[in-house]
Amino acid sequence: MANNNDKFVNQIADINADYTKWYTDVCLKSELCDYGPVKGTMVFRPYGYAVWERIQAEADKRFKAHGVLNSYFPMLIPQSFLMREAEHVEGFAPEVATVTHVGETELAEKLVLRPTSETIIGNMYSKWIGSYRDLPLKLNQWANVVRWEKTTRPFLRTSEFLWQEGHTAFASADEANADALEMLDVYKELANNVLALPVLCGRKSEREKFAGAVATYGMEAMMKDGKSLQAGTTHYLGDNFARAFDIKFLDKDGTHKYAYQASWGISTRLIGAIIMAHGDERGLCLPPPVAPFQAVVIPIGGAKNPEVAAKSAEIKNTLDRAGVRVTLDERDVSPGFKFNHWELRGVPLRIELGGRDLAAGVVTVCRRDGGDKFTLPIDELATRVVGLLDEITKSMFDKANAFAAAHIVPVSNMDEMRAALDGGNFCDAYWCGDEACEAKIKQELAATSRVFHADQAHAHEHKCACCGKPAKHRIYFARAY
Amino acid sequence: MANNNDKFVNQIADINADYTKWYTDVCLKSELCDYGPVKGTMVFRPYGYAVWERIQAEADKRFKAHGVLNSYFPMLIPQSFLMREAEHVEGFAPEVATVTHVGETELAEKLVLRPTSETIIGNMYSKWIGSYRDLPLKLNQWANVVRWEKTTRPFLRTSEFLWQEGHTAFASADEANADALEMLDVYKELANNVLALPVLCGRKSEREKFAGAVATYGMEAMMKDGKSLQAGTTHYLGDNFARAFDIKFLDKDGTHKYAYQASWGISTRLIGAIIMAHGDERGLCLPPPVAPFQAVVIPIGGAKNPEVAAKSAEIKNTLDRAGVRVTLDERDVSPGFKFNHWELRGVPLRIELGGRDLAAGVVTVCRRDGGDKFTLPIDELATRVVGLLDEITKSMFDKANAFAAAHIVPVSNMDEMRAALDGGNFCDAYWCGDEACEAKIKQELAATSRVFHADQAHAHEHKCACCGKPAKHRIYFARAY
């Protein structure tokens, strides 16, 4: 599927001139994905799916360490289930896809494709949970979900997407809320160390919370255009679904009580976050922990130089054995074509070996993240590459973190907010807590509240950036994906 | 979710008296699965899903070694796609679930939930394949599929199930057919060495082939009631889907040609095969490579004996470090309850430690597969357990293989066939090749042809077991799940 045309790989839009087209170009031309035949659907091509497999493996390991077990629940949910929790149905009904027929036969009850699984899992939990001994119950599933969206973009918003959804049940409200907060920490650590992605974490406003939750916590990542991407959410559900699905347990004191629940999810959206937080004018820039290939070995003039070809293959095997995900590009195309090809695909390290390098016992190494180019002794390559990959992850995080820090602007009124947003920034604002102000900000500035600031100590000393009345909260506003 | 009742775990039906109820009891009471709220659907509980995760990991490793890349295609397929391949639509139309609405809005084109993905993948392949350089293309996806079935049973036949589907495209017919045969070998090796499952492999008759294939190859496993379970199939599709979806490539000779394809799949049915091929009167018996827990450590009198409790925990950790999946059962219930609990769940090794064992520096080990009970020195436990687990896998395979060999009966007429089938056997038969005979056998004996015998050398010297006319093929007939 390679295209033997040097120009082709350069044909991505200028990131500074047209960020939206740049994003789509990178998605398609790096072969991460393609559009599906049904509007709003997408295909995960092998390169994109391999990134997801890495994210899955890293997340799954963390969930299991947290005592969570994997399971799988049916995708088809009786439509009536959705109706049982009032906010939930209101939030999801307009975007659920409904199955009405099998073959030519109409179904007795309409079924919906899961937009999320609180209801069907609630139904099963009511069957499985009988006593305090059955708690806590902490299950997760890796699954596809369907939410019909009007405006779609690869990875960010598609009719069907892949995600994980954790669903937990506890004997007390405190434990359930703590679970939502702990899983937010798990997500944050994953974002920082695996995706090299700095995130702002905190509770969301009532307006922005999940349909059916008591409280929603989110992690927000800043993209290079200063917009926010909701990269993961965790929900404290109280006993809302327990009441709707009759999840009761016999407690130690001999009385029957409703269970308290949490749920939490991350999705293939994270791939969109990686693209937009780290990508540049040359295309993708993948954090080493999720890169399908962490290094590419390119023999220079290999076709004419059998010693270079042989040594390149040896280097590839040495790195393989050191646990580096590495590929050897032996294609009969120009080095320039290969450089563009792998830069577009965001491979963290390029390792070039030419005749002169070989004679000197070195390779020329080029870092995708900063473009640094240097030589390394072939003898030390395996250990140096492993160290370099770690360094790249840290360096990518630091760079994204510095960018985010430089683009969070304190604002105290609507004009400042507009200027900050138009300049590609998040707003560090104070807010009276009135939903009318959130609505006005959305209406006039196309921005929404993202998460409450971690520091609420002096919020009451300030004024609402929208209405000027006394503030109750310190909160981030941003335009968002 | 444990039930503190010794009797409960014994409450599975007698395998010899009611095999069908025994199967359902084992599925539910070992907590492999549960019924979903929609008729015909099932929930994979953590214990069952963990078995699937092990099967996935083992299969995925083999696919990747075979040069196959993972990807993901949309679940929702335009209804019109199904119509393009005549046999395909005829085979699947009656059992496809159809999405007609999103929220209150009717869709312009009806969408079906994938029953299999040849059509949507064919559509994408036509876009991606342009030149001989793009071939071979070998993709796989791990996904859920929906086929509405009238009679359903956990793992064996449910409206939604989990599987992998490989879809490959080649420049020549030979390569595509070879891929179907090679993947059948991959499946067979997986069945034998990972599931301890002997299988009969071969081509299927026209009547039994996949809707849209030129040839279907299957692997059939014998269950303990002598019925066959189709445990995996691979298909040589010729250019049927390439013509339907216009998958053409520019060949080296400068002409445009249709690609040739293969597809292949295994599913969560394999869990049903494990249950029915290895299970016994005490419940599940899991092959070590897929057992969520390969060993359980049970302290005897641990609550009263802190030294036993401490040593049991130490043994658990030692085995953990040796790479054994092990659990320590410290619950405050009787040893008998624990024995039943873990036997029902098919854990390959039970390791008991009592005060007398501890004093002698040994543990008492009990094998789930044969019931053998013996002592092992604690010092040598880690290496001995690793060896034992391998031995158990081999021994389970040998036992199942001997059972299968003893239940394949040569038959030469309908009476012999009926007797063999009623006695819980496969029939090793000769057949004239006429579909009318297959139909008659199905009608009168409720048996179907499974796969052609590997040895066809002298088939023409025999007579058809159904009509008595000269035979063309040697083929297995059996009742099947």
Side-chain angles (χ1 to χ4, degrees), chain B residues 66-331:
Chain B
H66 206 74
V68 176
L69 299 172
N70 284 337
S71 50
Y72 186 77
F73 294 83
M75 172 180 55
L76 291 162
I77 301 178
Q79 199 179 40
S80 61
F81 277 24
L82 232 55
M83 312 297 181
R84 291 207 207 161
E85 213 287 332
E87 283 187 14
H88 197 65
V89 63
E90 199 188 317
F92 285 105
E95 59 189 45
V96 293
T98 310
V99 175
T100 53
H101 286 75
V102 168
E104 295 296 309
T105 313
E106 191 168 353
L107 292 172
E109 175 168 20
K110 286 179 185 168
L111 304 175
V112 303
L113 298 178
R114 62 177 160 230
T116 179
S117 300
E118 276 76 7
T119 59
I120 193 164
I121 293 180
N123 172 259
M124 297 311 297
Y125 276 17
S126 73
K127 194 170 164 185
W128 296 338
I129 295 172
S131 144
Y132 69 90
R133 286 189 215 88
D134 301 326
L135 298 172
L137 181 54
K138 310 206 285 190
L139 302 187
N140 174 61
Q141 75 174 355
W142 291 96
N144 54 346
V145 281
V146 173
R147 299 179 187 177
W148 223 263
E149 306 275 2
K150 289 200 183 75
T151 315
T152 58
R153 294 180 69 189
F155 298 115
L156 301 179
R157 208 173 281 280
T158 49
S159 303
E160 178 190 7
F161 58 92
L162 304 178
W163 80 342
Q164 63 67 216
E165 45 180 324
H167 295 269
T168 55
F170 300 87
S172 72
D174 283 353
E175 288 171 281
N177 192 47
D179 188 61
L181 289 167
E182 284 165 27
M183 294 313 298
L184 190 68
D185 282 343
V186 170
Y187 287 164
K188 182 182 181 176
E189 189 274 324
L190 180 86
N192 291 349
N193 298 330
V194 175
L195 312 180
L197 205 63
V199 285
L200 292 173
C201 291
R203 195 160 68 81
K204 292 199 157 251
S205 72
E206 284 297 301
R207 189 191 161 99
E208 296 294 324
K209 75 173 193 196
F210 175 75
V214 172
T216 287
Y217 307 95
M219 66 173 184
E220 301 284 320
M222 190 188 288
M223 303 296 99
K224 279 194 172 169
D225 59 354
K227 284 172 76 173
S228 187
L229 186 139
Q230 179 175 294
T233 48
T234 74
H235 315 291
Y236 166 55
L237 304 173
D239 59 4
N240 289 352
F241 287 90
R243 286 178 185 274
F245 289 91
D246 201 35
I247 311 172
K248 274 184 189 157
F249 67 97
L250 183 64
D251 205 354
K252 288 177 190 173
D253 63 10
T255 65
H256 286 90
K257 296 174 184 172
Y258 285 114
Y260 290 84
Q261 293 183 273
S263 67
W264 28 273
I266 51 174
S267 76
T268 38
R269 262 204 140 188
L270 288 175
I271 299 172
I274 294 169
I275 300 167
M276 289 200 291
H278 300 304
D280 62 20
E281 68 285 356
R282 287 172 298 155
L284 266 184
C285 181
L286 291 175
V290 299
F293 297 121
Q294 298 171 310
V296 53
V297 178
I298 300 183
I300 308 291
K304 294 172 204 146
N305 188 335
E307 282 173 26
V308 163
K311 193 70 182 177
S312 297
E314 191 188 312
I315 288 170
K316 194 256 179 195
N317 291 335
T318 305
L319 291 175
D320 252 341
R321 278 193 300 273
V324 176
R325 294 190 293 277
V326 58
T327 185
L328 171 64
D329 189 348
E330 297 183 294
R331 289 177 298 170

Side-chain angles (χ1 to χ4, degrees), chain A residues 32-195:
Chain A
L32 284 172
C33 66
D34 204 342
Y35 295 115
V38 176
K39 195 175 170 298
T41 64
M42 68 175 281
V43 175
F44 292 77
R45 300 187 72 174
Y47 199 60
Y49 196 78
V51 174
W52 181 237
E53 283 183 310
R54 297 297 311 160
I55 296 173
Q56 281 191 298
E58 292 285 348
D60 201 67
K61 192 165 72 181
R62 286 161 172 82
F63 300 160
K64 283 174 177 158
H66 206 74
V68 177
L69 299 172
N70 284 337
S71 49
Y72 186 78
F73 294 83
M75 172 180 56
L76 291 162
I77 302 178
Q79 197 179 42
S80 61
F81 277 23
L82 230 56
M83 313 295 183
R84 292 208 208 161
E85 212 288 333
E87 283 187 18
H88 196 65
V89 65
E90 199 187 318
F92 285 105
E95 59 189 45
V96 293
T98 311
V99 175
T100 53
H101 286 75
V102 169
E104 295 296 309
T105 313
E106 190 167 353
L107 291 171
E109 175 168 21
K110 287 179 185 167
L111 305 175
V112 303
L113 297 179
R114 64 179 157 227
T116 179
S117 301
E118 276 75 7
T119 59
I120 192 164
I121 293 181
N123 172 260
M124 297 310 299
Y125 277 17
S126 73
K127 193 170 166 186
W128 297 336
I129 295 171
S131 144
Y132 68 92
R133 285 189 216 89
D134 302 325
L135 298 173
L137 180 55
K138 309 205 285 192
L139 302 188
N140 174 59
Q141 75 174 356
W142 292 95
N144 54 346
V145 282
V146 173
R147 298 179 187 178
W148 222 264
E149 305 275 2
K150 286 198 186 76
T151 314
T152 57
R153 293 181 70 189
F155 298 115
L156 301 178
R157 208 172 282 279
T158 49
S159 303
E160 177 189 7
F161 57 91
L162 303 179
W163 79 343
Q164 63 68 217
E165 45 181 324
H167 295 269
T168 55
F170 302 86
S172 72
D174 284 352
E175 288 170 280
N177 193 47
D179 188 62
L181 289 167
E182 284 164 28
M183 292 315 296
L184 191 68
D185 283 342
V186 170
Y187 286 164
K188 182 180 181 177
E189 188 274 325
L190 180 84
N192 291 349
N193 297 330
V194 175
L195 312 180

Side-chain angles (χ1 to χ4, degrees), chain A residues 63 67 77 99 112 132 191 223-224 262 346 366 391 394 425 429 481:
Chain A
F63 300 160
I77 302 178
V99 175
V112 303
Y132 68 92
M223 303 297 100
K224 279 194 171 168
C366 184
E391 202 180 305
K394 286 191 191 77
N425 300 287
Y481 282 95

Side-chain angles (χ1 to χ4, degrees), chain A residues 292-478:
Chain A
F293 297 119
Q294 298 172 312
V296 54
V297 178
I298 300 183
I300 308 292
K304 294 172 203 147
N305 189 334
E307 283 174 24
V308 163
K311 194 69 181 179
S312 298
E314 190 188 312
I315 288 170
K316 194 258 180 191
N317 291 336
T318 305
L319 291 175
D320 254 340
R321 279 194 299 274
V324 176
R325 294 188 292 278
V326 58
T327 185
L328 171 64
D329 189 348
E330 296 183 293
R331 288 177 298 170
D332 186 21
V333 292
S334 73
F337 174 82
K338 292 182 185 180
F339 293 179
N340 283 341
H341 179 92
W342 297 110
E343 279 180 352
L344 171 64
R345 283 161 182 75
V347 174
L349 284 178
R350 181 173 80 224
I351 299 171
E352 306 165 23
L353 182 76
R356 222 179 305 174
D357 293 316
L358 183 57
V362 299
V363 289
T364 302
V365 175
C366 184
R367 275 173 65 156
R368 176 66 184 86
D369 64 323
D372 288 0
K373 208 165 166 172
F374 47 91
T375 59
L376 282 181
I378 292 174
D379 291 351
E380 300 171 17
L381 200 57
T383 48
R384 295 294 290 275
V385 163
V386 170
L388 263 173
L389 292 171
D390 277 346
E391 202 180 305
I392 290 171
T393 309
K394 286 191 191 77
S395 169
M396 285 176 69
F397 175 82
D398 290 344
K399 195 172 159 186
N401 203 29
F403 179 86
H407 290 83
I408 299 175
V409 174
V411 295
S412 53
N413 58 49
M414 289 290 272
D415 286 341
E416 288 178 14
M417 201 180 275
R418 181 188 304 276
L421 294 166
D422 288 348
N425 300 287
F426 280 22
C427 299
D428 179 354
Y430 293 92
W431 170 48
C432 63
D434 190 338
E435 282 198 28
C437 287
E438 275 183 298
K440 189 178 176 196
I441 290 166
K442 182 159 192 188
Q443 170 80 27
E444 295 185 10
L445 306 177
T448 46
S449 76
R450 306 314 304 166
V451 292
F452 287 109
H453 197 288
D455 178 11
Q456 295 291 334
H458 302 279
H460 64 281
E461 297 165 14
H462 294 263
K463 297 226 161 69
C464 176
C466 181
C467 68
K469 289 182 188 156
K472 282 186 186 155
H473 311 286
R474 187 174 176 185
I475 193 164
Y476 296 103
F477 278 91

